[in-house]
Amino acid sequence: MSLLNRLAVVAALSIAACSPGEPASSAPAPQTTPDSGRREVALFAGGCFWSTESNFEHMPGVTSAVSGFAGGTVANPSYEQVVQGGTGHVEAVQVTYDPARITYRQLVDRFWRTIDPTDPDGQFCDQGPSYATAVFATAAQRPIAEASRAAAAAVIGERRFVTPVRNVARFWPAEAYHQDFARRNAVRYGGYSRFCGREARLRAVWGR
């Protein structure tokens, strides 16, 4: 979905209210383990980066989630360049976390349950190459990511599971207006998410 179309959907649904159980505006869970001061980074492509960012940023142990682009050949691409195609980038989110409070395996396990890994062409109402899904893993992260992928694929079937684990790629942050979109625009994002049928599709894929 192009920026113009995506924002048009958001604008059209801006009068909608988030459902009572919607987590978009909820406060982060209280810390149960002291911050160790250590930081590690994980990189995920889950379709619309507004959603991927929102799925991670409230997890205890996650210190930041930044929307951007990865996997392409153009330096510092703009959103318009990426969605128009030809740069090779996908929308991605760089997750920084405290490994003493949450593990990389926990992050990857969480990631699968927030996407439809059976769709090779995008996610939900966002379709096209820039919305393809992937886990971008370093050499050290790859065995963990692959093990997590195998466990998730066993739930829904390996043949249906198309989201790959890819080699880590250069990450470029997106424009400022994309950052924290779901948190800063909770009502409009809630409408967009419902329009895209995210929850219904996730229930159909994962049986929840």
Side-chain angles (χ1 to χ4, degrees):
M1 184 182 292
S2 69
L3 175 63
L4 181 62
N5 289 339
R6 189 188 291 183
L7 292 180
V9 169
V10 170
L13 296 169
S14 62
I15 60 174
C18 292
S19 61
E22 188 115 12
S25 59
S26 61
Q31 295 188 8
T32 57
T33 303
D35 191 327
S36 71
R38 296 167 54 202
R39 296 292 182 264
E40 294 183 8
V41 173
L43 185 59
F44 302 98
C48 170
F49 48 29
W50 295 346
S51 300
T52 308
E53 180 189 77
S54 179
N55 287 327
F56 280 111
E57 65 183 357
H58 296 304
M59 294 184 71
V62 171
T63 60
S64 73
V66 178
S67 290
F69 314 103
T73 57
V74 176
N76 197 26
S78 68
Y79 180 85
E80 288 75 14
Q81 286 177 299
V82 172
V83 296
Q84 286 172 6
T87 71
H89 293 89
V90 293
E91 292 196 14
V93 171
Q94 185 181 73
V95 178
T96 302
Y97 64 100
D98 179 351
R101 299 186 59 218
I102 190 168
T103 66
Y104 180 70
R105 175 63 187 260
Q106 288 173 312
L107 292 172
V108 183
D109 286 348
R110 165 66 174 162
F111 172 70
W112 304 125
R113 298 304 179 114
T114 66
I115 66 168
D116 174 4
T118 70
D119 187 347
D121 300 316
Q123 287 291 285
F124 314 106
C125 64
D126 294 309
Q127 296 290 300
S130 64
Y131 300 109
T133 56
V135 174
F136 289 93
T138 65
Q141 291 170 341
R142 179 173 278 276
I144 301 170
E146 293 283 10
S148 174
R149 185 188 186 281
V155 175
I156 60 178
E158 176 62 39
R159 290 186 178 182
R160 298 178 61 210
F161 203 102
V162 297
T163 300
V165 175
R166 296 176 55 180
N167 290 335
V168 70
R170 175 70 182 270
F171 174 79
W172 302 95
E175 295 85 346
Y177 65 88
H178 284 298
Q179 306 302 331
D180 297 314
F181 187 91
R183 180 178 59 81
R184 292 185 294 104
N185 304 275
V187 172
R188 289 187 292 168
Y189 174 76
Y192 159 77
S193 182
R194 287 192 296 277
F195 171 83
C196 281
R198 293 183 59 85
E199 288 304 315
R201 182 57 186 161
L202 289 174
R203 285 193 296 271
V205 171
W206 294 105
R208 63 175 178 79

